[in-house]
C-alpha cells in the first residue's frame, strides 16, 4: 500500500509523473484477433491523469512498445509527452527532464519491469504496482494497493494531490452543487 505519510515530502516535490504503460496503465494484457492489438485502460486512472494535469502536474508516458491505443489515450487526456519504442528509457527520460527544466527530485516514476529500473533508481520518487517484478518491488519507495490497469495511477494521483494540498480544492469543485430553490431545505 502506498504510505502517503512516509512519502509525504517526496510527493510534495513532484512536478512530473512519468509512467510506463504496459503493466502500469494496463494490466499488461493485449487483446489480439483484430487488425490492431487493443489495450484496456481504467477510467479511474484516466480521471487521475486529468486531475493531475488540471492541477499543473505534468504527465508523461514512456513505453518500450508502440501502440496506437497509447497515442489515442494521450490525445484524449491531453498528455503531450508520449515516448514509445523506448527500449532504453533512461536516456529518453533524461532528455525530457532537461528539456522541461525538471530535476530528478521533482519527478516520480511508475514502472513494473526490469526495463524500468534505470529510471526507477534515479527518480526522486520510485513507485510500482503489486504485480511488478521482485527486482523492482525491492528497489522502489512505494507500491500501490491497486494493480496495474486497475486504479494504480489514480491512487498515485490522489496521493500527489493530497500531499500538495490540492485534493480539497478538487473535491470542492465537485461538491459545489446548486440546489434549485424549490428543493432547498426550509422552502
Amino acid at each position: 500500500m502506498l504510505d502517503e505519510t512516509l512519502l509525504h515530502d517526496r510527493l510534495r516535490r513532484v512536478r512530473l509523473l512519468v509512467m510506463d504503460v504496459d503493466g502500469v496503465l494496463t494490466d499488461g494484457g493485449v487483446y489480439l484477433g483484430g487488425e490492431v492489438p487493443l489495450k484496456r485502460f481504467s477510467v479511474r486512472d484516466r480521471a487521475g491523469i486529468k486531475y493531475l494535469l488540471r492541477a499543473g502536474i505534468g504527465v508523461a508516458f514512456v513505453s518500450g512498445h508502440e501502440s496506437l491505443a497509447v497515442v489515442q489515450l494521450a490525445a484524449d487526456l491531453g498528455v503531450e509527452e508520449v515516448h514509445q519504442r523506448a527500449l532504453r528509457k533512461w536516456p529518453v527520460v533524461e532528455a525530457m527532464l532537461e528539456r522541461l527544466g525538471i530535476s530528478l527530485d521533482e519527478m516520480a516514476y511508475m514502472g513494473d519491469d526490469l526495463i524500468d529500473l534505470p529510471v526507477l533508481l534515479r527518480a526522486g520518487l520510485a513507485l510500482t504496482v503489486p504485480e511488478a517484478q521482485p527486482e523492482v518491488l525491492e528497489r522502489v519507495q512505494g507500491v500501490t494497493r491497486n494493480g496495474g490497469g486497475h486504479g494504480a495511477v489514480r491512487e498515485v494521483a490522489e496521493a500527489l494531490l493530497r500531499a500538495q494540498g490540492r485534493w480539497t480544492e478538487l473535491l470542492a469543485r465537485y461538491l459545489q452543487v446548486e440546489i434549485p430553490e424549490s428543493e432547498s431545505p426550509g422552502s
Side-chain angles (χ1 to χ4, degrees):
M1 183 169 181
L2 198 62
D3 188 338
E4 292 180 40
T5 305
L6 182 65
L7 299 175
H8 184 77
D9 289 338
R10 290 180 189 227
L11 289 163
R12 273 194 17 236
R13 290 191 297 256
V14 174
R15 292 179 42 214
L16 176 67
L17 174 61
V18 182
M19 68 191 81
D20 176 35
V21 176
D22 296 315
V24 173
L25 267 172
T26 76
D27 61 8
V30 177
Y31 299 99
L32 298 174
E35 292 180 31
V36 178
L38 301 174
K39 296 179 186 282
R40 177 197 161 281
F41 299 103
S42 164
V43 294
R44 290 173 32 217
D45 288 339
R46 291 171 56 102
I49 291 168
K50 287 298 266 187
Y51 297 156
L52 290 174
L53 293 171
R54 286 183 191 143
I57 298 171
V59 174
F61 302 152
V62 179
S63 178
H65 299 283
E66 185 170 13
S67 170
L68 180 58
V70 175
V71 173
Q72 290 174 325
L73 176 68
D76 287 349
L77 298 175
V79 174
E80 296 176 6
E81 291 289 338
V82 180
H83 305 276
Q84 298 193 84
R85 299 183 105 190
L87 297 177
R88 293 182 58 237
K89 293 185 179 186
W90 171 242
V92 172
V93 172
E94 183 180 36
M96 178 177 49
L97 292 175
E98 187 175 316
R99 187 171 32 78
L100 297 174
I102 294 178
S103 71
L104 285 172
D105 280 349
E106 297 172 317
M107 178 193 72
Y109 185 83
M110 288 184 76
D112 70 316
D113 213 336
L114 303 180
I115 191 173
D116 299 301
L117 282 172
V119 184
L120 287 166
L121 294 172
R122 291 173 169 96
L125 178 58
L127 304 167
T128 195
V129 295
E131 313 82 15
Q133 285 296 116
E135 296 85 355
V136 171
L137 287 166
E138 61 193 38
R139 288 173 172 84
V140 297
Q141 288 91 39
V143 179
T144 60
R145 181 177 41 82
N146 296 306
H150 296 280
V153 174
R154 169 67 176 261
E155 184 179 338
V156 169
E158 286 187 29
L160 286 168
L161 293 169
R162 287 179 201 280
Q164 295 183 15
R166 296 174 173 173
W167 183 254
T168 304
E169 178 185 322
L170 173 71
L171 183 59
R173 288 185 198 169
Y174 291 98
L175 293 176
Q176 292 180 353
V177 178
E178 291 188 33
I179 301 172
E181 212 173 292
S182 61
E183 295 179 26
S184 65
S187 54

